[in-house]
Amino acid sequence: MDRNKIIATARNVIDEESRALAILSETVGQNLAHAAQVILDAPGRVIVSGMGKSGHVGKKIAATFASTGTPAHFVHPAEASHGDLGMISKGDVVLILSNSGETPELADLIAHTRRFGITMIGVASRAESTLMQQADVQLVLPQLGEACGHGVVPTISTTMTLALGDALAVALMEHREFGAEHFRQFHPGGKLGARLSRVRDLMHSADTLPLVTSSTAMSDTLLVISQKGFGVVGVTDDHNRLIGIITDGDLRRHMDGLLDRTAGEVMTPAPRTIAPEALAAEALAQMNERKITCLFVVPLDGTGESCGILHIHDCLRAGVA
């Protein structure tokens, strides 16, 4: 095996696809904006369809739409001809992918959209093709051949189609002001969901909070530390505002005559806190930076009352890193 030749071929394919994407970018214009407007105005879903490699790309585009605030699903054109046309309703927008625009399996799907007045967006490289002539919105791909050397293996065409789908999805996402919190709603599992978790999703609250008043005797304070199991206790004033924290370091510093003191005398004042709306990843970063294991959670409403506590183990168990 000639490894250098393999590497050269691989680089050539990537270079050709990169050039194709640059050309595609220059062609993006009002038709894509029209397609976005059609989707935004539609009361239904985006139905994506395509055959063969276009179908594989279509599944990814539909998944990207769905996860970024644009309801969508993929319908296989062959299955559509055997009953799945019933999944497509007036009010939907159908996005059909076909490099040639003449894929025969798409005929029934195209006819269905024309019969029932369902808006159709076509993506193909031939503006004069059957698909594009029937489409309400035409997204024409540059005719650049393929990167396989023989012009027959879908490479450049599928890369451009995928990039165009991503561009449309992200444009719609930004228009909808679809942010990290919305994104997490559709990605609750795995690493991504964990990184987008909010402090309020992981914190302990209510009766689990280790809190004492500043006048609480240290003998009782030690019991609270032991019972709650966080290794710390928060200290509040007469208005329930968090004014301090007692950690194991504070206990060591006041070991002499500890039981003769009150919580207010032993605490470290003005403890570091975090808002419930903050990302858990931010809380973890603060704990790592300051080499602490807990953060009390205090809302930004100005009351100064603690509504929760977050332990570093809560973040690690949730997969926040």
Side-chain angles (χ1 to χ4, degrees):
M1 181 177 69
D2 188 339
R3 296 193 175 206
N4 290 331
K5 183 177 180 180
I6 288 176
I7 292 171
T9 299
R11 287 176 174 171
N12 182 64
V13 170
I14 294 171
D15 288 344
E16 287 194 35
E17 293 193 355
S18 297
R19 284 191 290 271
L21 291 178
I23 294 171
L24 173 66
S25 177
E26 294 174 359
T27 69
V28 171
Q30 290 301 316
N31 279 11
L32 187 133
H34 186 193
Q37 189 64 60
V38 163
I39 293 172
L40 289 168
D41 292 341
R45 296 173 175 267
V46 177
I47 310 300
V48 185
S49 190
M51 195 70 189
K53 302 300 185 293
S54 293
H56 294 306
V57 172
K59 290 178 183 178
K60 191 275 180 186
I61 292 174
T64 300
F65 277 149
S67 68
T68 53
T70 299
H73 67 264
F74 179 83
V75 172
H76 194 285
E79 298 294 341
S81 298
H82 293 273
D84 283 1
L85 285 174
M87 295 182 177
I88 307 170
S89 304
K90 194 160 187 174
D92 291 337
V93 174
V94 177
L95 174 64
I96 300 181
L97 316 174
S98 170
N99 186 44
S100 68
E102 299 292 350
T103 307
E105 289 88 351
L106 296 172
D108 289 338
L109 183 57
I110 294 172
H112 182 77
T113 66
R114 303 305 83 190
R115 179 182 178 186
F116 293 101
I118 299 169
T119 303
M120 182 176 69
I121 302 171
V123 178
S125 63
R126 296 174 58 242
E128 71 280 6
S129 65
T130 300
L131 169 62
M132 299 302 258
Q133 289 300 308
Q134 293 294 324
D136 299 294
V137 183
Q138 298 180 347
L139 298 179
V140 182
L141 299 172
Q143 294 189 39
L144 301 175
E146 303 293 359
C148 64
H150 303 288
V152 294
V153 179
T155 47
I156 287 176
S157 60
T158 50
T159 297
M160 289 194 297
T161 303
L162 181 59
L164 190 65
D166 285 344
L168 184 56
V170 173
L172 290 167
M173 180 182 75
E174 291 190 355
H175 181 83
R176 298 181 194 277
E177 297 183 350
F178 189 92
E181 179 61 25
H182 304 96
F183 200 73
R184 181 181 175 272
Q185 293 174 10
F186 299 115
H187 299 77
K191 194 72 170 179
L192 182 58
R195 290 187 60 83
L196 294 175
S197 294
R198 300 285 179 177
V199 168
R200 64 171 176 263
D201 300 324
L202 304 180
M203 71 183 190
H204 303 268
S205 57
D207 295 338
T208 63
L209 290 185
L211 293 174
V212 297
T213 65
S214 59
S215 60
T216 302
M218 280 306 301
S219 57
D220 294 328
T221 300
L222 291 173
L223 287 175
V224 173
I225 294 176
S226 176
Q227 290 169 353
K228 299 301 184 178
F230 292 98
V232 301
V233 67
V235 183
T236 63
D237 63 12
D238 294 336
H239 300 286
N240 294 321
R241 292 175 298 202
L242 185 72
I243 59 172
I245 187 173
I246 298 176
T247 67
D248 58 347
D250 296 308
L251 297 178
R252 288 193 299 271
R253 283 190 293 272
H254 296 87
M255 189 61 68
D256 291 340
L258 178 65
L259 298 182
D260 296 327
R261 301 174 186 267
T262 64
E265 294 171 329
V266 175
M267 72 179 190
T268 295
R272 170 71 60 169
T273 62
I274 190 94
E277 295 80 16
L279 288 174
E282 178 187 345
L284 180 62
Q286 287 194 32
M287 287 187 274
N288 283 330
E289 178 185 357
R290 297 180 174 271
K291 295 181 173 58
I292 57 178
T293 60
C294 287
L295 279 173
F296 277 94
V297 183
V298 176
L300 299 175
D301 56 9
T303 64
E305 293 186 26
S306 177
C307 64
I309 186 171
L310 183 68
H311 195 282
I312 193 169
H313 288 166
D314 300 320
C315 296
L316 297 178
R317 277 194 296 268
V320 181

